[in-house]
Structure formats: C-alpha cells, structure tokens
Amino acid sequence: MTTTHDQTPPPPPHGDPPRDRPAGPEALAPPHADGPPARPPLWDRRFTLYFTARTVSLVGDAMMPVAAALAVGALYGISGVGLVLGVWTGTFVLLVLFGGVFADRFGARRMMVGADLVRVLTQGVLAAAFFTGPPPFWLLVTTAAVAGAAVAMFLPGVNGMVPLVARDPQRANATLKVADALAHLLGPASAGLLIALTSAGTVYAIDAGTFLLSALCLALIRLAPGGASADGTTGADATVPRASSLRRDLRQGWHEFRSRTWMWAVILIWVVYGVLIFGPLVPLSSALIGDRLGPDAYGLAVSFLGVGTVLGGLLALRTRPARPLAAGAVAMALYTALPLCVALDAGLPGLLAGHALGGGALAFWSVMWATSVQTHTPPAVLNRVTAYELAGSVSGIALGQILAGPATALFPPGGLLLVSAGTCLAGSVALLATPAIRGLRRAGPPRDATPPVGD
C-alpha cells in the first residue's frame, strides 16, 4: 500500500506552466478553451521499460506461491512451506525500513536493479538444486531469507519510481494494477502446469529469467536530469547527504510518516485489516470452499478475484475523484462481499460474484492510495515513507496468517470470516469518519518533482 499528504501542496506560481502542459515551445500555444487540456502521453520509452520490468517480475512472483506449495510441500509438508514463507516475510519486515533509506540515498532504480540481480542468483540456485535432486531444507530457508532481504531493498523504490517515469501517476498506477492482476491470473496456472509437465526446477529457472529481464529493463531507463540522473539516482540524493547517519535518515522518514495524519491513520486501520481480514482470508476460505465445493471451485473463485482486479484497475484508469481516499473507502466497503459470501456458504455463482466484487474494490483503493502517496509526499523522502507503510501493512498480514491456525481451534472458520466481513465494513466507516482521510484532495505531482522529459 501507499499513501498521501494531509494538505494539498500549493499551486505553482502564476508564471509557471501548468503541470499537464509541456515545458518546451508547445507551452507558448494558447490552451484550448473548448475542453480540458489533453492528458500527457503515458507510453513513452521510459514508462514502457518500467512497465515491462514490473510485469515480467510480477508474473514470476505470481508463480512462486504455487511452486512453494507444490514443490516444497511435497518434500517437507505444510510446516515446511510455512517456515520457508515465514522466513521470507520476517526478513522482509525486518529490513524494509533500511531499504527505504538506501533507495533515498543511492537511488530507487539502482537498488531495484541490484535486488533483481540478487534474486536471479537465489532463484537460479534453487532451479539447479531442484534439477539435480531434492534440495536440502537449509538451502530453501537460506534462499528465502536472502530473497526476502532483496525484496525489502526493491519494494520501497517501486512507489518512488512511478512519478519519475510517468507524468500522470494515476494512469500509470492503474495500468500497473491491471498488469498485476493479469500476472496473478496467468502465473499460478502456468506454474501448476509447468510442475506437472516438467519439474519445479523449470518454474524457478523461469522466475530467475524474469528477474534478469526486469533488471535489464530498469538499467536501460534514463531519467530526466532535473528529477534523476542518467544512472538512476533520484532527487533524494540532493537532500540526503551520504555522510548522514542511518539512524537520522530513519528518524526523518518516521517524522514525515507521522506528520501526515491521513497516512498513519490509514496504516493503523490496515494493520487491523491485515490481522482480521487479509491474513486469515486465504487459509480459511481455501479450506471452507475446498471442503464444500472442491479445490477446482476455489481455484475458479481466485480467478474471478483476478478478473475483478482487472476491472477495478480499468475503472481507476478512467475516473479521477476529487477526494481519492474517500472514493477508495467507499469501494472498500464492497470488499465486505468477499469474506461474507464464503462465511455464508454461498453457491458457486455467489462466490464468483463476491470474489470479483472484492477484487475490483481492492484494486480501485490500491490505485487511489498509491497515487495519493506519490503526489503528496516530497520525492526526497518518498521511498522511506513507503517503507514505513509497507512495514505496517505487511506486519499485520503476517500476524493474521500466524494466528489463523490457532484461531480455528477456538472458533469455527465461518464465524471467523463473519468477523472479517464486519471488520471490513467497520474499517470503511472509520476511513470515511476520519477528516484527514475523507478530506484529502487529488493533487498533481509534488512541486519539487521534475516530470520526465519526453523521449
């Protein structure tokens, strides 16, 4: 997740050209009086390379849960899968704040390329291990820890890169969300088919290849001189001296995060969501739907979740609410349908509709949230602020996953999902009842961010 600022940045001085008009000779032409100004182009070389990097990486990421469940589970059981995933998540949560500091110090693009190359190594080692025989458990745990650390260095920069490669962050975020949804539609099915036809080593080898292609595309991006140097160092380097201490950088990021009421308020709500909704949803719903209608029905429901995510991303691509987080909070109320339809033992049509509605609602919120963070947070601290919100969001989900199993020993799974549905609805009300969240208005890129020059 990502967030925005409590106050809309002041408009540019009257002498500055509007943000959505070019800064070259075209800016001298009078604006059209008979309609709104044209949107800046999205698909230039810079965004195309970034989109390709993210898309291929997301496809590889979407294949991994299936590979872990089938390949690792077949060797070391459910507890083995849980430990491997837990090590990955724990390493990520422990290091993501440092990833935000390093992205602001050394440049988001540089950190992302390095993290991709590390994951080429970890996935390549696992591919070779699966090709030559069952890998030892210590190798699976070690590579999970290294990969989790790499993701902690990678993800904080994802948010900060978008304003540097796209003049229109909302369109870029919506387009990336659609790609994310399509990746999660195709990735799991492809992984299952490849494991059935070949071996788990093939899936890990393909995953290594996706990270290599992602690193190549990111390395080829050339950023505008005003917003970032050609080597990928963002504008944050001008305000975060290399000699500054790590502790000072972390404190500055915390101060920026804490000073935005709408931001920490959303993350507090999202931590509760993680513990009571997102964390337990997958294990509980997969068990309930699988036992009642079979595993194929659960797979179909997950596919409809992806379909809804695509539709939600497309809706976010076309709409521009004046208060994006308020609109996103209304959408999140619709997410209640997902845990509710599972808890009430709905038939297959009801399950598919509930999952599609939930996917669309979460996708729309995600685009509104990411765009708000990018356009209301100064570029010099954007990566560190993103790291704090990632740490809060992921820690809640991890805790929910850990507690899901013990909770089923005390309460029926259907009852727990009713709690999830009630929490979702109450959280949406809390989002709308918080003035700083409800009143946050849509804004253009931050004033100190220089939009990319055209290619």
Side-chain angles (χ1 to χ4, degrees):
M1 256 184 53
T2 32
T3 79
T4 93
H5 207 297
D6 275 328
Q7 297 178 353
T8 302
H14 293 297
D16 292 348
R19 279 282 180 187
D20 54 1
R21 295 183 62 201
E26 298 91 332
L28 301 177
H32 295 289
D34 55 352
R39 293 181 182 178
L42 179 65
W43 292 99
D44 59 8
R45 178 178 182 273
R46 199 170 285 106
F47 180 74
T48 300
L49 285 170
Y50 185 72
F51 176 84
T52 303
R54 291 298 297 132
T55 300
V56 297
S57 181
L58 287 167
V59 170
D61 289 343
M63 298 171 71
M64 281 302 98
V66 174
L70 296 179
V72 179
L75 294 174
Y76 300 105
I78 295 177
S79 61
V81 174
L83 183 58
V84 169
L85 295 179
V87 168
W88 186 98
T89 303
T91 307
F92 172 82
V93 172
L94 286 174
L95 297 179
V96 66
L97 296 181
F98 300 100
V101 170
F102 295 149
D104 279 333
R105 281 194 177 200
F106 307 118
R109 187 182 72 104
R110 181 179 295 171
M111 294 299 299
M112 293 169 73
V113 171
D116 272 340
L117 293 178
V118 170
R119 289 184 287 178
V120 170
L121 178 63
T122 60
Q123 304 309 89
V125 167
L126 286 175
F130 274 105
F131 279 134
T132 57
F137 190 66
W138 67 263
L139 180 63
L140 296 173
V141 172
T142 302
T143 54
V146 176
V151 176
M153 300 298 110
F154 183 94
L155 279 186
V158 169
N159 213 28
M161 278 291 291
V162 172
L164 297 175
V165 299
R167 295 181 181 89
D168 189 338
Q170 181 174 324
R171 288 172 64 200
N173 287 319
T175 303
L176 291 167
K177 176 56 67 175
V178 172
D180 185 9
L182 292 174
H184 282 83
L185 277 174
L186 300 176
S190 301
L193 183 62
L194 286 170
I195 290 177
L197 296 178
T198 58
S199 70
T202 303
V203 178
Y204 282 98
I206 292 174
D207 196 31
T210 64
F211 290 127
L212 183 61
L213 181 56
S214 173
L216 177 62
C217 290
L218 290 171
L220 291 174
I221 295 175
R222 292 296 177 262
L223 299 172
S229 66
D231 69 356
T233 304
T234 68
D237 288 330
T239 57
V240 182
R242 298 294 174 87
S244 64
S245 69
L246 185 64
R247 181 179 179 183
R248 181 181 301 172
D249 291 344
L250 287 170
R251 288 174 60 186
Q252 184 185 6
W254 171 250
H255 172 75
E256 295 289 343
F257 174 81
R258 186 184 61 177
S259 66
R260 291 158 172 80
T261 303
W262 59 266
M263 185 177 287
W264 59 257
V266 167
I267 294 303
L268 282 179
I269 294 172
W270 229 255
V271 169
V272 177
Y273 273 10
V275 175
L276 297 179
I277 304 174
F278 302 131
L281 183 61
V282 171
L284 295 181
S285 60
S286 61
L288 286 174
I289 297 174
D291 291 344
R292 189 165 58 90
L293 300 175
D296 291 343
Y298 178 70
L300 188 59
V302 173
S303 297
F304 268 71
L305 180 71
V307 171
T309 303
V310 171
L311 296 177
L314 292 174
L315 178 62
L317 191 62
R318 301 183 61 87
T319 58
R320 292 175 177 270
R323 292 180 172 85
L325 293 188
V330 172
M332 278 304 298
L334 302 178
Y335 191 85
T336 306
L338 201 164
L340 189 62
C341 71
V342 181
L344 297 180
D345 292 337
L348 185 59
L351 286 173
L352 300 184
H355 278 72
L357 192 59
L362 187 57
F364 186 83
W365 163 267
S366 298
V367 174
M368 298 298 109
W369 172 257
T371 304
S372 298
V373 173
Q374 294 156 4
T375 56
H376 285 275
T377 305
V381 294
L382 177 55
N383 297 314
R384 276 169 286 171
V385 168
T386 298
Y388 275 102
E389 63 98 355
L390 279 172
S393 302
V394 174
S395 61
I397 295 174
L399 183 58
Q401 291 171 334
I402 293 171
L403 295 177
T408 56
L410 301 175
F411 307 99
L416 293 174
L417 286 178
L418 284 176
V419 173
S420 298
T423 301
C424 186
L425 195 59
S428 298
V429 173
L431 290 169
L432 289 170
T434 305
I437 299 173
R438 183 182 67 247
L440 189 75
R441 301 190 69 86
R442 180 166 60 91
R447 292 186 63 190
D448 53 346
T450 302
V453 295
D455 287 311

